[in-house]
Amino acid sequence: MWRKLFASVPAFRAPKAPCRSFKSSSRRAEKDFNKDLEAQFRAFREKVAAAMPGSDWSPFELTPGLPPERADVVIVGGGVVGWSIAYWLKRKERVRDGLRVLVVEKDPTYSQASTVLSCGGIRQQFSLKENIELSMTSADFLKNINNHLWVVNEDPVDLQFNHSGYLFLASEKSAHIMEENYRTQRHAGAKVALLSPSQLKERFPWINTDGVALASLGLENEGWFDPWSLLNAFRRKAMSMGVYQCFGEVTGFRCSSNVAEIADGDFVDVKRIKYVNVQMPNSLEYQPVESAVVVNAAGANSGKIATMLGIGLGPKESISGIPFPVEPRKRFVYVVHCPDGPGLDTPFLIDYSGVYCRREGLGGNYLTGMSPEETEEPDISNLDVDDKFFQEKVWHHLANRIPAFEQLKVSSGWAGFYDYNTFDQNGIVGLHPLVPNMYFATGFSGHGLQQSPAVGLAVAELILDGGYKTVNLNAFDLKRIFLREPILESNIV
């Protein structure tokens, strides 16, 4: 060993005798040479000392940002849902630092993250009790956010929460559905009011009420906020509590496998994840992370993560052949400028045509858009914005409802992905029966941001307590997918 170490030291050769005419310069050169050689010996002695037993020195340079080799919980996806789960896991841990949690996010810039590309809305005006309770719990969290996410010696969290409410408009055809939803919302405790067309016009004189039979206005805990501020607040707080962060891409899993017999006599392959393979950005190097529990909170990419485990790849008639029904769907958001627009008294408007609109800041800017028809879903290979979609699909409905917008100007726009649940457009929360140590928290189809505080708490309760304590989300279990029993939400935007 020592011979190998000393072999790396350059051989010392005495300089030849200098000529007298160059005696002074040669002496300086010899002095510089000896000084450099002494520096090499000093560095070598330090290296030898570091290589002694008990030192953490390694001859190999480690890639910065590598995840730890082991974690109790690995969360795939560093969006707002993933970081909310991480925060609540640490908040609920029974022993300080007793739970090692790792969050893996593949996009270090968050430039394509669904969280920061959303419109930031929050509402309780849903048709399902679970969605209403999730948003009510989340709204209470957001109103008291500094009681939860403030970090000592840091600035308080400012979400820029605008409590202007949501305003849904119904036609004669859909008014009875709005009335049913109103009763459900009120029974759950949401503060909502129904308005007739005349009351609507009196409250918001800038609205054209033609074709409107009924309106529903959120009076409390509804509006919009800054998505990035919430994501960063969860992330900052969770990391201050000891959560590990890694920017890398999950490329696969190493699992143990057992064959199990199910109720109808069929046999299925049940996998248990042992290691999560995390590949580092712009590198072929990857780190296997040993983990007891994995959470799939990868949003629009969660279906791809499920496929890595063979979910949906079995025989079509078997449980292993049922694909995980979450895929990316691209949605456009347009920023329009209209100095003569509705102004400050503008709620988050949802027209029965599907067009939405809300105020953005104080300078006469507004956000607007709508979801395309199922047969017109845009290409998901990029995040390019289709300007024709606004001209051909959005503007007509928008200007019809708000006549001032006939004079608007499109100033910019962007696109983002929904984690779209093709089965019933509702969240999927819970364990997969074929991978009993992977929890899912995805498929919210545009509601993930606003429901993230409550969803994170629910998943943490499921992992640490074995069941829900705050909001019962058993209806969002994967069981409904296997039994082909969708739960339908009528207030999808």
Side-chain angles (χ1 to χ4, degrees), residues 271-320:
K271 297 179 179 179
R272 188 169 189 85
I273 299 170
K274 297 293 186 181
Y275 291 88
V276 181
N277 291 336
V278 180
Q279 184 171 342
M280 306 312 295
N282 305 314
S283 172
L284 296 177
E285 185 175 6
Y286 76 92
Q287 171 76 49
V289 181
E290 185 180 6
S291 181
V293 171
V294 178
V295 180
N296 186 344
N301 293 310
S302 55
K304 178 182 176 182
I305 298 297
T307 304
M308 292 178 186
L309 291 160
I311 294 172
L313 302 181
K316 288 188 176 180
E317 299 302 320
S318 70
I319 188 174
S320 59

Side-chain angles (χ1 to χ4, degrees), residues 260-483:
E261 184 177 2
I262 56 179
D264 58 5
D266 288 339
F267 291 89
V268 295
D269 189 20
V270 178
K271 297 179 179 179
R272 188 169 189 85
I273 299 170
K274 297 293 186 181
Y275 291 88
V276 181
N277 291 336
V278 180
Q279 184 171 342
M280 306 312 295
N282 305 314
S283 172
L284 296 177
E285 185 175 6
Y286 76 92
Q287 171 76 49
V289 181
E290 185 180 6
S291 181
V293 171
V294 178
V295 180
N296 186 344
N301 293 310
S302 55
K304 178 182 176 182
I305 298 297
T307 304
M308 292 178 186
L309 291 160
I311 294 172
L313 302 181
K316 288 188 176 180
E317 299 302 320
S318 70
I319 188 174
S320 59
I322 299 175
F324 189 71
V326 175
E327 63 184 33
R329 294 279 181 96
K330 187 160 73 173
R331 297 292 180 262
F332 305 120
V333 180
Y334 302 95
V335 182
V336 300
H337 181 68
C338 183
D340 298 324
L344 291 177
D345 190 21
T346 307
F348 204 131
L349 175 66
I350 312 294
D351 188 53
Y352 58 75
S353 64
V355 167
Y356 66 82
C357 174
R358 77 159 174 86
R359 178 171 57 81
E360 174 69 358
L362 304 175
N365 294 319
Y366 301 85
L367 303 185
T368 185
M370 69 182 297
S371 293
E373 296 293 334
E374 188 78 20
T375 56
E376 299 177 338
E377 285 290 343
D379 175 28
I380 62 170
S381 64
N382 57 59
L383 285 177
D384 295 343
V385 179
D386 184 355
D387 295 327
K388 288 184 179 179
F389 186 78
F390 177 82
Q391 299 289 340
E392 298 174 0
K393 302 293 183 179
V394 178
W395 196 3
H396 167 71
H397 295 296
L398 185 63
N400 176 64
R401 188 57 60 209
I402 307 174
F405 282 154
E406 291 179 359
Q407 306 300 320
L408 63 76
K409 179 181 179 181
V410 179
S411 55
S412 64
W414 70 82
F417 292 125
Y418 272 11
D419 54 337
Y420 193 82
N421 177 359
T422 60
F423 184 67
D424 61 12
Q425 293 82 62
N426 279 301
I428 300 174
V429 183
L431 284 168
H432 196 289
L434 299 183
V435 190
N437 66 331
M438 172 173 272
Y439 292 81
F440 286 80
T442 184
F444 296 98
S445 306
H447 309 140
L449 172 69
Q450 62 179 289
Q451 296 178 344
S452 60
V455 169
L457 173 57
V459 174
E461 290 174 345
L462 202 56
I463 294 173
L464 298 180
D465 301 326
Y468 301 115
K469 305 290 186 182
T470 307
V471 179
N472 189 338
L473 298 184
N474 284 324
F476 287 172
D477 192 85
L478 282 94
K479 187 187 303 180
R480 75 185 195 273
I481 298 169
F482 304 130
L483 297 177

Side-chain angles (χ1 to χ4, degrees), residues 4 14 23 31 39 87 134 202 225 246 285 293 303 412 415 470:
K4 291 181 180 180
K23 187 173 182 180
K31 185 176 181 181
Y87 161 74
L134 279 173
E202 183 180 358
F225 58 91
C246 171
E285 185 175 6
V293 171
S412 64
T470 307

Side-chain angles (χ1 to χ4, degrees), residues 92-144:
K92 287 177 62 63
E93 66 180 355
R94 294 174 177 84
V95 178
R96 183 177 177 83
D97 297 327
L99 196 65
R100 176 176 283 197
V101 179
L102 169 68
V103 176
V104 181
E105 168 57 39
K106 72 173 186 176
D107 181 10
T109 65
Y110 283 92
S111 61
Q112 297 189 7
S114 298
T115 297
V116 299
L117 296 174
S118 74
C119 287
I122 181 169
R123 58 185 169 99
Q124 283 81 60
Q125 294 186 65
F126 291 96
S127 63
L128 289 177
K129 176 175 67 71
E130 289 80 6
N131 281 328
I132 298 168
E133 292 178 351
L134 279 173
S135 288
M136 288 180 63
T137 303
S138 293
D140 183 69
F141 180 94
L142 297 182
K143 288 195 302 182
N144 300 283

